[in-house]
C-alpha cells in the first residue's frame, strides 16, 4: 500500500482534527489519543510509526507514551491489515457454536494464520476474544461489521463476495426478545401517538415471546 | 385484613400477566433508534419529569427506593452509589456510562445501544441531574461500531432537539402574581462519546477512566473511589448501560412499579442472556427472581443436546451443575451468592455434556490470560502465564495428578490477591470446574485423552 507518509495525516484535515480535540474538556487533550489513532487506522488500516509521532505531537506526549497506549489495545495495528480484516471470535459461546472450526476453515481458505496479512493485502486474519454476540455465534467481524451465525454455507458466500472485491452487506441476526419485538411491531400497524406517556407504551405481550419466530431464526438447532 | 395481606405478590415470572417487556420494548424494531420513534412513544418524558418536577435528592431517593442494583455485574445498589458523590464544590462532576460490555456470555448492552440509544441518553440525563454532573461520558467498546454510530447519531439528534446542551428543559416564566411560575434556566448537560479499542479490562471502572484519559488501561488503586477522584481526578459516578436504561423507567413509572418485580434483595426487570446449545438463544427480559428453567426451557426452547453445567452470569461466574434443583433456582443476587456463584451480568451459558470441561476451561482461562493487563504479579504470573500453560500441558496429554493439585493451589492463591477483580474472575470458574468436574481432569491425566473428544459444532 502506498502511504504518503511525508505529508502529516491531519495536515489537510484541520476541521476533523479540531472537532476531535474539541470533544474533550479543557485540560483533557490527552483523551484525544485514541480517537486520533482510530481516524488514522480507518484510513490507512494501521497506525505507522510516523503517524504515531504526529499524534503524539498533536496531543503533547512523547511518542513512547503514545506507543505504550497503542500497544495496550488489541484492535490497533502496527502493520497494515488487509482490505478485509477477518476477526474470528474464539471465546466460549462461539466455540460452542463452532467458532474453532470457523477459524480453521478461514485458515484453509486464506492460507493465513492469526496475525498475518496476505501479500496482495486483500485478507488478514485475527483470532479475537468475545465480541459480545454470544447468542448469535459463531461470529466473524469483517472490518467494522459483524456477521453473525456464520454457517459453512454463509462463509462460502461471504468469501466469494470479498474475493470479488465487495464488502459484504451486513445482515442482522436476531434472537430472544429481538424476535418478539419485531413481531409486536408488525402486529401494531401505526405508530401510536404517546397519549399516556411511558406507562402506556406498546407492551410486548409476554406470551408472544417464545414461540413461532422461525422465519427469523437461523441455524441454532 | 391487614395492609400486609393486601400487598400483591411480587412479580417473579415473565408469564405473570402484570409483567411487560420494558427495557427491550424497542429492541429489534426497525427504525427504533431514531428520536422520532422514541418520542412518539413517550420518550424523554421521564427526563422532563425529573428535571422539571424533582430535586436531585428526590431522584436519588426514588432510585434508592426502587432497589435497583448495578447491572454491570457487581450488583451494587445504584442509588446508594449516587449518594456517595461529595457536596457540590464548584469542581466539574462526571457521570460515566460503561458500555465496554466484554464479559463472555454477555450481549445485552450492545442491542440497547444499537436499537434504543435514546433510552440510554435519557437515563444518563436523569442521572446527570441527580448527581449534578454536567458532562456525561459514554465509553463504547471498540468492536461495537454499529452501536457507536447509532449513539453518535442519537446524541446529535438529541442536541439538535435541545435535549442535550445548554438549558435542557428550560422554561419561561408564566402567569402573574401569586400564580406565577418562575422561569427555569434548565440543566446544562452534554455527552462525550468515546470509543475503546479492544481491552476487557476497560470494563473495570478505574481502568475505563484511565483509558478515557488516553492512558494505558491499568486499574487504579482504590481508594480514592471514583466519587472522590474519578475522570481527570474529579468526582465521578459510573454505571452500566442497562442500569441507566432502568433509571429511565424507574423515574417514568415510579419506584413502586419497579420494586413490585423481583425478590427481597433483587428488584426490577433484568436482561438475561442465553447462549450455548439451546433452541432459541438470545436476550430475554425477565423480572428478577425468574428461574433458570423459565429462561432455558420456556423462553429458550431447551437445550438441543444433553447439558451438564450452567454458567449463570458470564464466564467469570462459578458454574453450577445441571440438575432439577439448579434449574429451579431463582436468578437473583442473593440466591446465586447462597449457592456459591454470582449473578454477574446475567449471561447464562449452557455447557453441553459432550464438551470436554478441561477444554472449555482452557478456553475461559485463555480469555483472561489474553486480557490480563500485566500490572500486578499474581495476575501476570498466575493468570497470564502459569494457568494457560498448565491447561496446554493437560490438553497435550502430558499432565499428572500432581499438576491438578498444583492448579487447585494456584487458583486458591489467586483469590483476593490481585490488584483488581480480573484474577478472581479467572480463578473462580476454574475452582468451580475442579469442584464439580474434577473427574474429567482426572480422566484426562490418567488416560492422556479427554473423556469427551472434540466434536463438530458448526452448522452447515
Amino acid at each position: 500500500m502506498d502511504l504518503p507518509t511525508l505529508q502529516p495525516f491531519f495536515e489537510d484535515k484541520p476541521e476533523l482534527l479540531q472537532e476531535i480535540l474539541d470533544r474533550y474538556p479543557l485540560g483533557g487533550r490527552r483523551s484525544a489519543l485514541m480517537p486520533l489513532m482510530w481516524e488514522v487506522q480507518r484510513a490507512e488500516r494501521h497506525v505507522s510509526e510516523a503517524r504515531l509521532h504526529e499524534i503524539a505531537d498533536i496531543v503533547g506526549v512523547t511518542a513512547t507514551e503514545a506507543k505504550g497506549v497503542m500497544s495496550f489495545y488489541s484492535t490497533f495495528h502496527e502493520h497494515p491489515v488487509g482490505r478485509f480484516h477477518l476477526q474470528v471470535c474464539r471465546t466460549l459461546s462461539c466455540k460452542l457454536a463452532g467458532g474453532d472450526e470457523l477459524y480453521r476453515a478461514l485458515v484453509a481458505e486464506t492460507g493465513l494464520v492469526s496475525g498475518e496479512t496476505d501479500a496482495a493485502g486483500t485478507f488478514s486474519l485475527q483470532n479475537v476474544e468475545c465480541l459480545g454476540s454470544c447468542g448469535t455465534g459463531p461470529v466473524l467481524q469483517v472490518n467494522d461489521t459483524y456477521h453473525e451465525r456464520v454457517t459453512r454455507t454463509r462463509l462460502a458466500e461471504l468469501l466469494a463476495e470479498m474475493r470479488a472485491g465487495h464488502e459484504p452487506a451486513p445482515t442482522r441476526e436476531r434472537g430472544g426478545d429481538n424476535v418478539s419485538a419485531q413481531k409486536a411491531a408488525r402486529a401494531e400497524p401505526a405508530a401510536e401517538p404517546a397519549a399516556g406517556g411511558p406507562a402506556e407504551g406498546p407492551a410486548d405481550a409476554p406470551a408472544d415471546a417464545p414461540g413461532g419466530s422461525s422465519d427469523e431464526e437461523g441455524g441454532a438447532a | 385484613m391487614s395492609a400486609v395481606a393486601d400487598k400483591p405478590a411480587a412479580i417473579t415470572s415473565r408469564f405473570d400477566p402484570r409483567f411487560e417487556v420494558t427495557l427491550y420494548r424497542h429492541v429489534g424494531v426497525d427504525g427504533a433508534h431514531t428520536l422520532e420513534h422514541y418520542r412518539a412513544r413517550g420518550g424523554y418524558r421521564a427526563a422532563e419529569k425529573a428535571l422539571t418536577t424533582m430535586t436531585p435528592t428526590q431522584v436519588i431517593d426514588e432510585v434508592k427506593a426502587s432497589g435497583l442494583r448495578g447491572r454491570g455485574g457487581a450488583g451494587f445498589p445504584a442509588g446508594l452509589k449516587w449518594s456517595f458523590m461529595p457536596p457540590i464544590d464548584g469542581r466539574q462532576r462526571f457521570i460515566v456510562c460503561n458500555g465496554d460490555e466484554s464479559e463472555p456470555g454477555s450481549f445485552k448492552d450492545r442491542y440497547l445501544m444499537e436499537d434504543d440509544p435514546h433510552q440510554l441518553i435519557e437515563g444518563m440525563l436523569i442521572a446527570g441531574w441527580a448527581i449534578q454532573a454536567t458532562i456525561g461520558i459514554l465509553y463504547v467498546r471498540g468492536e461495537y461500531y454499529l452501536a457507536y454510530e447509532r449513539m453518535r447519531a442519537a446524541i446529535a439528534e438529541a442536541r439538535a432537539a435541545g435535549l442535550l446542551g445548554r438549558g435542557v428543559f428550560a422554561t419561561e416564566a408564566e402567569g402573574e402574581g401569586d400564580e406565577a411560575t418562575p422561569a427555569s434556566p434548565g440543566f446544562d448537560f452534554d455527552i462525550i462519546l468515546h470509543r475503546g479499542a479492544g481491552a476487557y479490562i476497560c470494563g473495570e471502572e478505574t481502568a475505563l477512566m484511565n483509558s478515557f484519559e488516553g492512558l494505558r488501561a491499568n486499574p487504579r488503586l482504590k481508594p480514592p473511589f471514583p466519587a472522590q477522584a474519578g475522570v481527570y481526578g474529579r468526582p465521578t459516578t459510573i454505571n452500566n448501560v442497562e442500569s441507566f436504561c432502568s433509571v429511565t423507567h424507574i423515574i417514568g413509572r415510579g419506584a413502586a412499579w419497579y420494586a413490585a418485580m423481583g425478590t427481597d434483595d433483587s428488584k426490577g426487570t433484568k436482561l438475561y442472556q442465553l447462549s450455548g446449545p439451546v433452541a432459541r438463544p438470545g436476550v430475554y427480559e425477565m423480572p428478577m427472581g425468574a428461574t433458570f428453567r423459565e429462561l432455558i426451557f420456556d423462553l429458550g426452547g431447551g437445550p438441543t443436546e444433553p447439558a451438564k453445567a450452567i454458567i449463570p452470569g458470564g464466564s467469570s461466574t462459578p458454574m453450577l451443575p445441571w440438575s432439577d434443583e439448579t434449574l429451579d433456582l431463582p436468578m437473583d443476587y442473593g440466591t446465586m451468592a447462597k449457592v456459591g456463584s454470582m449473578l454477574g451480568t446475567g449471561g447464562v451459558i449452557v455447557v453441553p455434556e459432550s464438551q470436554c470441561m478441561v477444554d472449555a476451561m482452557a478456553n475461559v482461562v485463555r480469555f483472561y490470560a489474553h486480557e490480563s493487563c500485566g500490572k500486578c504479579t499474581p495476575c501476570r504470573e498466575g493468570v497470564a502465564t502459569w494457568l494457560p500453560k498448565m491447561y496446554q500441558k493437560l490438553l497435550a496429554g502430558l499432565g499428572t495428578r500432581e499438576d491438578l493439585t498444583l492448579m487447585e493451589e494456584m487458583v486458591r492463591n489467586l483469590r483476593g490477591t490481585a490488584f483488581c477483580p480480573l484474577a478472581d474472575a479467572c480463578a473462580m470458574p476454574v475452582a468451580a470446574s475442579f469442584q464439580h468436574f474434577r473427574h474429567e481432569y482426572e480422566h484426562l491425566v490418567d488416560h492422556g485423552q479427554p473423556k469427551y473428544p472434540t466434536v463438530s459444532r458448526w452448522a452447515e
Side-chain angles (χ1 to χ4, degrees):
Chain A
M1 189 190 240
D2 275 342
L3 293 181
T5 43
L6 288 177
Q7 190 195 3
F9 183 85
F10 290 100
E11 192 179 68
D12 57 354
K13 306 174 189 68
E15 284 105 32
L16 174 68
L17 178 62
Q18 202 53 48
E19 187 267 315
I20 292 173
L21 295 175
D22 286 348
R23 285 179 202 169
Y24 300 96
L26 223 58
R29 198 174 175 92
R30 193 175 167 144
S31 289
L33 260 183
M34 283 167 70
L36 294 173
M37 288 176 191
W38 272 124
E39 285 303 330
V40 170
Q41 181 160 302
R42 274 185 80 73
E44 302 183 345
R45 295 186 226 151
H46 77 306
V47 184
S48 69
E49 198 75 26
R51 300 302 190 217
L52 199 67
H53 277 84
E54 181 189 342
I55 291 171
D57 283 348
I58 292 171
V59 174
V61 298
T62 65
T64 313
E65 276 183 279
K67 188 143 198 173
V69 172
M70 183 175 143
S71 65
F72 190 91
Y73 300 95
S74 57
T75 44
F76 288 132
H77 310 297
E78 277 181 55
H79 302 288
V81 293
R83 176 161 173 231
F84 301 106
H85 184 47
L86 311 172
Q87 297 145 88
V88 192
C89 174
R90 54 172 177 173
T91 314
L92 188 58
S93 295
C94 275
K95 176 188 173 72
L96 293 174
D100 293 344
E101 290 154 84
L102 169 61
Y103 171 71
R104 284 196 295 272
L106 279 167
V107 169
E109 286 282 345
T110 61
L112 304 168
V113 295
S114 182
E116 291 183 331
T117 306
D118 64 21
T122 309
F123 289 114
S124 51
L125 184 60
Q126 190 182 4
N127 248 330
V128 296
E129 299 292 354
C130 190
L131 289 174
S133 183
C134 314
T136 47
V139 59
L140 169 67
Q141 187 185 344
V142 178
N143 302 335
D144 285 324
T145 306
Y146 279 25
H147 297 276
E148 298 158 272
R149 283 196 186 119
V150 178
T151 58
R152 226 177 270 276
T153 322
R154 182 80 190 115
L155 179 67
E157 292 164 6
L158 290 172
L159 282 170
E161 270 186 79
M162 289 185 274
R163 283 183 175 133
H166 309 300
E167 175 117 18
T171 48
R172 194 81 191 280
E173 287 288 336
R174 299 174 192 278
D177 281 339
N178 270 337
V179 175
S180 51
Q182 188 69 6
K183 263 179 61 179
R186 276 202 300 263
E188 168 206 27
E192 144 198 351
E200 287 175 27
D204 186 13
D208 270 7
S213 41
S214 52
D215 57 329
E216 276 153 319
E217 251 164 317
Chain B
M1 258 199 280
S2 72
V4 175
D6 278 336
K7 199 179 164 198
I11 304 168
T12 56
S13 164
R14 162 113 171 193
F15 300 99
D16 189 312
R18 293 168 295 168
F19 179 78
E20 64 182 273
V21 170
T22 307
L23 298 168
Y24 251 43
R25 70 202 192 289
H26 299 153
V27 171
V29 180
D30 292 330
H33 57 279
T34 61
L35 181 60
E36 187 191 351
H37 185 280
Y38 189 67
R39 287 205 109 170
R41 285 155 186 80
Y44 287 102
R45 291 209 182 166
E48 185 171 12
K49 177 179 165 186
L51 270 61
T52 60
T53 70
M54 297 169 82
T55 64
T57 314
Q58 282 171 332
V59 175
I60 294 178
D61 288 344
E62 194 75 4
V63 173
K64 274 186 183 165
S66 76
L68 171 66
R69 295 175 63 167
R71 298 294 195 238
F76 192 80
L80 188 60
K81 193 190 238 184
W82 292 5
S83 66
F84 290 159
M85 286 292 276
I88 293 166
D89 57 4
R91 287 186 296 166
Q92 178 66 50
R93 299 152 82 90
F94 294 95
I95 184 89
V96 180
C97 176
N98 184 342
D100 191 63
E101 178 173 68
S102 22
E103 173 78 9
S106 315
F107 49 103
K108 59 189 170 69
D109 297 343
R110 175 161 72 95
Y111 293 114
L112 283 172
M113 291 188 280
E114 284 177 359
D115 284 5
D116 206 352
H118 286 287
Q119 179 178 231
L120 173 58
I121 295 173
E122 183 169 11
M124 288 183 70
L125 177 58
I126 295 169
W129 172 251
I131 65 160
Q132 289 292 293
T134 55
I135 299 181
I137 292 165
L138 171 55
Y139 187 102
V140 181
R141 70 176 289 194
E143 292 87 341
Y144 283 5
Y145 192 69
L146 179 60
Y148 174 80
E149 286 287 290
R150 288 263 169 95
M151 288 304 319
R152 186 159 73 166
I155 289 169
E157 274 184 317
R159 272 182 199 144
L163 294 163
L164 289 176
R166 291 204 157 272
V168 178
F169 296 122
T171 50
E172 299 194 355
E174 269 180 51
E176 279 174 27
D178 289 346
E179 304 277 298
T181 332
S184 153
F187 180 50
D188 296 342
F189 185 76
D190 211 337
I191 292 177
I192 302 172
L193 181 61
H194 192 84
R195 191 176 171 209
Y200 168 80
I201 192 63
C202 292
E204 200 281 334
E205 55 186 19
T206 59
L208 184 148
M209 290 169 192
N210 274 347
S211 177
F212 175 77
E213 291 182 23
L215 300 160
R216 287 170 71 86
N218 295 321
R220 299 175 182 171
L221 187 66
K222 290 191 276 192
F225 289 94
Q228 274 70 51
V231 172
Y232 305 132
R234 303 294 192 275
T236 302
T237 295
I238 176 164
N239 288 108
N240 167 264
V241 171
E242 187 186 348
S243 301
F244 284 113
C245 293
S246 302
V247 164
T248 301
H249 300 285
I250 288 167
I251 297 304
R253 297 179 167 202
W257 163 80
Y258 196 78
M261 295 177 276
T263 54
D264 285 348
D265 66 7
S266 312
K267 299 296 184 196
T269 176
K270 162 100 190 84
L271 299 170
Y272 293 94
Q273 304 117 91
L274 180 60
S275 64
V278 293
R280 290 186 295 271
V283 183
Y284 293 98
E285 182 171 348
M286 303 165 86
M288 276 281 185
T291 62
F292 286 112
R293 191 183 297 282
E294 190 172 320
L295 174 68
I296 297 170
F297 285 89
D298 299 340
L299 296 169
T304 52
E305 55 177 298
K308 64 178 165 193
I310 295 174
I311 298 174
S315 67
S316 67
T317 58
M319 66 184 71
L320 303 166
W322 180 272
S323 68
D324 278 336
E325 293 81 68
T326 304
L327 285 170
D328 286 326
L329 291 175
M331 295 183 286
D332 64 35
Y333 296 105
T335 308
M336 289 302 106
K338 213 158 59 192
V339 297
S341 189
M342 286 165 71
L343 184 64
T345 60
V348 176
I349 307 173
V350 173
V351 183
E353 182 72 47
S354 64
Q355 169 63 50
C356 169
M357 193 51 88
V358 185
D359 183 36
M361 292 319 295
N363 184 288
V364 169
V365 165
R366 192 206 53 219
F367 174 86
Y368 292 102
H370 183 261
E371 302 299 341
S372 170
C373 80
K375 174 173 175 138
C376 72
T377 314
C379 188
R380 187 177 61 245
E381 297 301 319
V383 173
T385 312
W386 274 89
L387 270 180
K389 283 187 177 166
M390 294 302 282
Y391 273 101
Q392 244 177 357
K393 184 178 177 189
L394 294 189
L395 290 174
L398 302 171
T400 62
R401 290 256 177 169
E402 288 71 44
D403 289 333
L404 300 185
T405 318
L406 178 64
M407 287 170 80
E408 284 173 308
E409 201 179 312
M410 280 164 56
V411 165
R412 258 197 310 279
N413 288 334
L414 275 174
R415 293 297 304 277
T417 56
F419 195 84
C420 87
L422 190 140
D424 285 318
C426 179
M428 289 189 298
V430 172
S433 74
F434 271 96
Q435 186 190 339
H436 300 296
F437 296 96
R438 200 176 202 279
H439 58 276
E440 287 197 32
Y441 284 90
E442 289 170 356
H443 187 281
L444 180 56
V445 297
D446 291 349
H447 298 85
Q449 296 288 332
K451 189 168 176 208
Y452 299 97
T454 308
V455 293
S456 174
R457 305 189 173 281
W458 197 22
E460 286 300 316

